[in-house]
Amino acid sequence: MPEPLRTFHPPPLHPRRAVATGPAVRPAVVIAQALVGAGALAVLCLWWFGAAPAGGAGGRLTDAGRATGLLAGYAAAVLLLLMARVPWLDRTLGTDRLARWHARGGRITVSLMVAHVLLILSGKSVTEERNLVDETAAVLGYPNMVQAASAFLLFLCVAALSARAARRRVSYETWHVLHLLTYLAVYLGFWHQLSSGAHFIGDRAARITWYAGYGTVAALLVWFRVLGPVRSARRHRLLVSEVRPEAPDVVSVYLTGRRLDQLRARPGQFMRWRFLAPGLWRTATPYSLSAPPDGRSLRITVKGVGEHSRALARIAPGTRVWAAGPYGGLTASRAKTGKSLLLAGGVGITPLRALFETLPGDTVLVYWARSATDLVLRGELDRIAAERGLRVVYSVSDPDGYRVPLDARSLRRLVPDLARRDVYVCGPPRLTRAALSALAEAGVPGSRVHHESFSL
């Protein structure tokens, strides 16, 4: 195998501000944001026209609490829709963008709920001339208020566990199970709003609209997260055929099944895999396809970083697998030119390896890893490069002297026509941020930079 490329030291650059960039904002993104904003405006109209405002300072606080409560209910429905795994939304907006919107929407939803609770209690406390503790005890005696309080506490619990500092200390499997509590919280909050909300009690049209919105989201969730995967499992009957070591703590899992061409999976996409084995069946985990699907078999390549991924190294051939998807838009359909540059880091090579074999035109791959033994699928990459007449560049930190700096000058030196290429990026968050910054400085238009992040 050829040696990794040695470090070169380009001349110093003049100071220049680099701004990280991602895919350009597409019309579909603008339309989606406009629709969400229009829904929020409709909710505010319901608040404004749906019930007479109360008088006095307490009444104004209570009225503001009703507005934040309505917005919180609407935001919760949008939150669920973003993670319903609707393939059309996934392909149109991108998995990483949906995940970012979901995370941001979660913070907004919890903030609205906190504001709703504090404003309602403060308003009623002023009106009834009671302190907050006594008013809280009195409010809990209202119909469905215990359920509402339980929903609020569940949301706070999930929000606390989703905070970055706490998330690093909780395994993915634990976080996933606890995150399912949001469904229960939304369910309890939904009935609280209909039974206690002043804007719904006397307005049949408002109740029907609220039912229709939540019913649509619930139907999408049930189909795409439950019934769809079950239907796909029965149709394709995926089985593990082989587990093959690729690098330290990295294995490839080969799967066979029936009518796999009907999945219509494309290089660069991922699926959510549920391995029906002890300790694994409860969680559906996203892994990218690491080889182009051929209609007869599928392959994923996984690095053992958690309980689930480490257990795949020991999974037995013949294990049944349920797979949902395919998802993701990191495919050849995003390319706008006949030339591409692939920037991979660590196990982020998996979707780019499939693209390296299938992207049309001149393609260059640059692959960063800690050491030569961590260059996953290197033999395959060398073979593809030789067969297609393409170029692959390896960069490792150990031993010294074999690292390619991830900066604009280095990328331009490696690929002189960088600004005229499509660029695909996949790797750890730190590498992705560095790559986006370097590409922006190198003058690559944001519309030709394609990346997706699967960190949770």
Side-chain angles (χ1 to χ4, degrees), residues 318-362:
T319 299
R320 291 284 303 276
V321 182
W322 287 11
Y327 302 109
L330 199 69
T331 65
S333 63
R334 286 192 177 183
K336 297 176 175 61
T337 68
K339 297 182 177 181
S340 301
L341 170 64
L342 312 181
L343 304 179
V347 79
I349 187 61
T350 52
L352 300 191
R353 179 260 178 255
L355 286 172
F356 191 52
E357 183 174 350
T358 56
L359 275 173
D362 178 20

Side-chain angles (χ1 to χ4, degrees), residues 206-274:
R207 290 199 306 274
I208 291 174
T209 301
W210 213 249
Y211 270 117
Y214 268 85
T216 300
V217 173
L220 292 172
L221 281 166
V222 170
W223 176 253
F224 289 110
R225 299 201 64 155
V226 181
L227 299 181
V230 171
R231 176 174 174 266
S232 178
R234 291 175 59 86
R235 172 181 294 180
H236 301 297
R237 298 189 179 276
L238 282 170
L239 297 172
V240 174
S241 61
E242 182 184 0
V243 178
R244 183 182 302 174
E246 300 286 3
D249 299 322
V250 179
V251 297
S252 285
V253 180
Y254 293 78
L255 305 107
T256 57
R258 304 187 309 179
R259 295 179 284 188
L260 299 186
D261 57 308
Q262 295 180 11
L263 285 171
R264 298 181 180 177
R266 293 180 290 174
Q269 291 189 303
F270 71 97
M271 301 179 73
R272 296 184 181 273
W273 308 88
R274 188 182 300 274

Side-chain angles (χ1 to χ4, degrees), residues 132-183:
L132 283 175
V133 174
D134 290 341
E135 186 60 42
T136 300
V139 167
L140 287 175
Y142 293 178
N144 290 322
M145 201 55 66
V146 172
Q147 294 92 319
S150 300
F152 179 62
L153 293 176
L154 284 173
F155 264 107
L156 290 182
C157 177
V158 173
L161 290 172
S162 299
R164 187 172 299 177
R167 178 69 187 88
R168 288 195 292 264
R169 293 176 171 83
V170 179
S171 69
Y172 170 76
E173 292 77 17
T174 301
W175 175 87
H176 179 77
V177 171
L178 292 175
H179 216 66
L180 294 177
L181 292 174
T182 55
Y183 294 115

Side-chain angles (χ1 to χ4, degrees), residues 23-41 74 78 81-82 88-89 92-93 97-98 100-101 104:
V25 177
R26 291 172 286 173
V29 175
V30 176
I31 293 172
Q33 291 172 334
L35 289 174
V36 172
L41 182 60
Y74 170 72
V78 173
L81 177 62
L82 291 174
W88 181 83
L89 285 178
T92 305
L93 300 176
R97 180 177 280 110
L98 289 174
R100 290 196 302 271
W101 287 3
R104 189 179 304 135

